[in-house]
Amino acid sequence: MTMTLCRQVAANHVVRNEQGDLMDNKLRGKKIAILVADGFEQIELTAPREALEAEGASTEIVSPSEAEVQGWNHDEKADAFAVDMPLNRARSDDYDALVLPGGVRNPDKLRQLTRALEFVDGFFATGKPVAAICHASWTLIDAGVVDGRKMTSWPSLKTDLRNAGAEWVDTDVVVDRGLVSSRKPADMPAFTKKMIETFAEGRQRPWLNISMQSRKTVARPVEQPRSH
């Protein structure tokens, strides 16, 4: 998919979101991080970014790649995007919210990077809103932030999420305590609408979030030595 066509598709999603809802810069002054590695599904970055910027937000692509990060259109390479902030220099404190696009390759890479998991956890630990679509929930599982949450995802992640303690449901969009989740690109109108509403609300109460280290301590108690 060419960059021009991709932007046209993304713009169409924004227009559909406008039906009955006049854009009024709900996100003016907010700075949003979009975390991706090579192999992200391109429309899952471009459509949310268009919607966020149409509401007055500024966005930055954060990536473990230093200069450019490669998008995909299903199983074919699409466009490369400039990286605004390398992951090794990114701080969750500098952003108001986080978007996690999907694609199979992208979250599978991010979930193996401690720095990516720490970055994601920083948003949950401080109650900042997060929007994840498609396979992006893989990264959330490894960040330890899905236990006890109601959410959705690409259907093949259903068992993984349930095993991690989430309540998985098959619907176009779910919002649970600042986490917006959707299944696939076809859900984009519902996803971007709820994403904008949730990001405009801002932080959840901090007590709803536990740091990643605390979650690990709770989830993985130290085993006592066995007697032989």
Side-chain angles (χ1 to χ4, degrees):
M1 182 182 290
T2 66
M3 179 69 77
T4 300
L5 179 56
C6 192
R7 286 189 176 278
Q8 289 174 344
V9 172
N12 287 340
H13 286 300
V14 175
V15 169
R16 283 196 290 272
N17 286 343
E18 287 179 345
Q19 293 178 356
D21 293 308
L22 182 63
M23 292 290 193
D24 56 5
N25 289 317
K26 297 174 184 176
L27 303 178
R28 182 180 296 279
K30 291 187 180 290
K31 184 179 179 182
I32 315 298
I34 305 174
L35 177 62
V36 287
D38 288 329
F40 65 91
E41 186 67 25
Q42 182 157 307
I43 191 62
E44 293 174 4
L45 180 150
T46 55
R49 184 173 67 172
E50 291 276 352
L52 291 166
E53 293 179 352
E55 286 287 3
S58 63
T59 63
E60 286 191 349
I61 294 177
V62 178
S63 177
S65 301
E66 291 288 329
E68 288 187 337
V69 60
Q70 181 66 53
W72 283 66
N73 180 23
H74 302 300
D75 57 355
E76 297 181 355
K77 278 190 176 181
D79 299 310
F81 292 76
V83 173
D84 299 303
M85 176 60 67
L87 178 60
N88 61 9
R89 293 197 286 114
R91 299 172 64 252
S92 60
D93 289 347
D94 295 334
Y95 300 95
D96 297 291
L98 172 66
V99 177
L100 294 170
V104 177
R105 300 166 184 82
N106 160 48
D108 198 41
K109 292 177 180 178
L110 292 175
R111 70 194 299 197
Q112 300 178 62
L113 299 176
T114 299
R115 183 68 191 94
L117 301 182
E118 291 173 343
F119 182 69
V120 170
D121 180 74
F123 290 86
F124 286 89
T126 54
K128 293 180 180 179
V130 175
I133 188 169
C134 197
H135 288 78
S137 295
W138 264 342
T139 306
L140 298 180
I141 290 171
D142 280 78
V145 296
V146 304
D147 189 16
R149 290 184 181 271
K150 183 177 181 179
M151 56 191 302
T152 192
S153 68
W154 185 258
S156 65
L157 275 65
K158 172 175 66 175
T159 300
D160 292 343
L161 284 165
R162 286 177 172 170
N163 287 342
E167 178 188 351
W168 188 89
V169 294
D170 186 13
T171 189
D172 57 356
V173 64
V174 177
V175 182
D176 186 326
R177 290 168 289 164
L179 173 61
V180 182
S181 58
S182 281
R183 302 168 300 184
K184 54 191 175 182
D187 297 333
M188 195 63 70
F191 178 68
T192 55
K193 183 175 186 294
K194 288 298 183 182
M195 174 188 67
I196 289 167
E197 291 175 0
T198 303
F199 286 9
E201 290 173 0
R203 296 186 188 223
Q204 300 290 305
R205 286 180 291 177
W207 63 266
L208 290 175
N209 296 273
I210 307 173
S211 70
M212 186 165 70
Q213 186 58 49
S214 296
R215 277 192 296 271
K216 287 181 178 178
T217 302
V218 172
R220 301 184 180 90
V222 177
E223 294 185 1
Q224 299 298 318
R226 296 181 180 178
S227 59
H228 297 282

